[in-house]
Amino acid sequence: MKLLEGKIALITGASRGIGRGIALKFAEQGANVAFTYLSSVEKGQELEKELQAFGVKAKGYRSDAADFKAAEELVNAVVTDFGTIDVCVNNAGITRDTLLMRMSEQQWDEVINANLKSVFNVTKAVQKPMLKQRKGSIINMSSVVGVKGNGGQSNYAASKAGIIGFTKSVALELGSRNIRCNAIAPGFIETEMTAALDEKVVEGWRNNIPLKRGGTVDDVANATIFLASDMSAYITGQVINVCGGMLT
Ligand code: NAP
């Protein structure tokens, strides 16, 4: 039996990296997948075909999660196309790293809007179909940086810490309606982006992780499958660190 058989999932920011990995794993587990992208139009179109090859329904939407109205329109479109939404993965995110001394108001606002306001926008819209069907699982992509902070990432860390407070509050508000809300805090996950970094620097990071390796997109996707599935039916308001023991 597939873990997400017949479930309808919405994943934001799935054209690359972790979101793309989650979309593929969800489809493999039998979920019908609606996903978004913003600038990577071709990659989004390719992913749609790859997901459909699993024999599930899949559709990509170009939508800015940071835009309140666009998020509402997105959720309405997904409900029209798929019928409802059982699982929502708020994954879309960006970085604009720099020291506080050099950080512009724009760099602060862009990160807070794309990472934190987006989670509010999409969750607020998605709670309607979930309330109607009296079930749902919302999974928000935070970061270990949101738990412990990181020099040069005060905007990013604040957005990811904000996600944790939001997640716990939504879990408390919607628990009585059988809607669960959890966060995942990935550590250092090796993606195409990190492949471009200096190998010596990356090796240093790996050595500081108890499991002695960077995480994979699949490591994060597997935790997301668990939180999306009925295997986690009694888990809400939690943060799962997927970080190889980095936060221990
Ligand atoms: P990534 O490779 O840069 O991919 C980010 C995705 O988000 C892309 O699909 C991008 O779409 C989309 N996106 C960005 N802004 C958007 C917006 N306003 N509306 C809709 N989609 C938007 O990043 P990643 O490494 O996979 O990270 C995914 C999530 O995990 C992020 O929230 C990140 O903060 C978190 N995370 C990552 C790591 C890590 O080590 N990689 C660690 C901890 C947490 P387009 O390409 O179309 O613009």
Side-chain angles (χ1 to χ4, degrees):
M1 226 287 269
K2 291 178 175 172
L3 284 169
L4 303 179
E5 192 78 60
K7 285 195 192 289
I8 295 159
L10 168 62
I11 305 163
T12 65
S15 50
R16 317 183 254 123
I18 293 172
R20 178 183 149 81
I22 293 170
L24 288 165
K25 281 265 176 189
F26 270 32
E28 192 182 84
Q29 289 298 327
N32 298 307
V33 179
F35 68 91
T36 71
Y37 50 87
L38 188 56
S39 55
S40 313
V41 179
E42 260 177 45
K43 284 186 178 175
Q45 287 163 349
E46 276 167 32
L47 179 64
E48 194 176 282
K49 288 195 201 104
E50 277 182 69
L51 296 174
Q52 286 163 352
F54 285 96
V56 298
K57 181 169 174 162
K59 187 168 175 182
Y61 301 79
R62 189 174 192 184
S63 180
D64 183 355
D67 181 326
F68 182 80
K69 205 161 174 287
E72 202 171 25
E73 286 165 3
L74 165 74
V75 167
N76 288 340
V78 174
V79 171
T80 301
D81 295 341
F82 287 77
T84 187
I85 297 171
D86 301 306
V87 177
C88 173
V89 183
N90 284 309
N91 168 77
I94 59 167
T95 51
R96 297 284 183 271
D97 298 351
T98 190
L99 296 173
L100 179 59
M101 196 177 282
R102 297 203 192 106
M103 191 175 291
S104 65
E105 184 184 4
Q106 189 185 348
Q107 285 169 323
W108 173 269
D109 287 345
E110 279 177 7
V111 168
I112 297 296
N113 288 338
N115 295 7
L116 180 58
K117 188 175 178 225
S118 63
V119 177
F120 160 73
N121 292 342
V122 179
T123 306
K124 186 167 165 64
V126 96
Q127 72 168 340
K128 285 179 206 151
M130 288 184 174
L131 282 169
K132 206 168 157 196
Q133 63 177 9
R134 282 194 159 258
K135 70 174 163 95
S137 175
I138 300 162
I139 302 151
N140 298 326
M141 208 52 71
S142 178
S143 165
V144 292
V145 164
V147 180
K148 74 181 279 291
N150 196 23
Q153 287 199 307
S154 59
N155 49 359
Y156 183 79
S159 73
K160 295 299 182 182
I163 286 177
I164 293 174
F166 180 80
T167 299
K168 293 185 178 192
S169 305
V170 170
L172 294 173
E173 272 188 40
L174 299 181
S176 63
R177 313 297 164 93
N178 197 29
I179 298 169
R180 302 184 291 112
C181 186
N182 293 288
I184 292 177
F188 169 51
I189 307 302
E190 300 201 30
T191 59
E192 301 108 87
M193 227 167 59
T194 56
L197 296 171
D198 182 68
E199 180 59 22
K200 271 193 195 138
V201 174
V202 173
E203 201 48 45
W205 288 348
R206 288 187 193 119
N207 280 331
N208 282 328
I209 297 168
L211 286 181
K212 298 294 170 205
R213 65 171 179 90
T216 65
V217 161
D218 281 356
D219 288 326
V220 180
N222 286 333
T224 316
I225 289 175
F226 172 66
L227 289 176
S229 77
D230 297 337
M231 300 276 287
S232 59
Y234 201 51
I235 299 176
T236 194
Q238 305 304 307
V239 182
I240 298 189
N241 302 322
V242 181
C243 65
M246 197 197 267
L247 268 191
T248 307

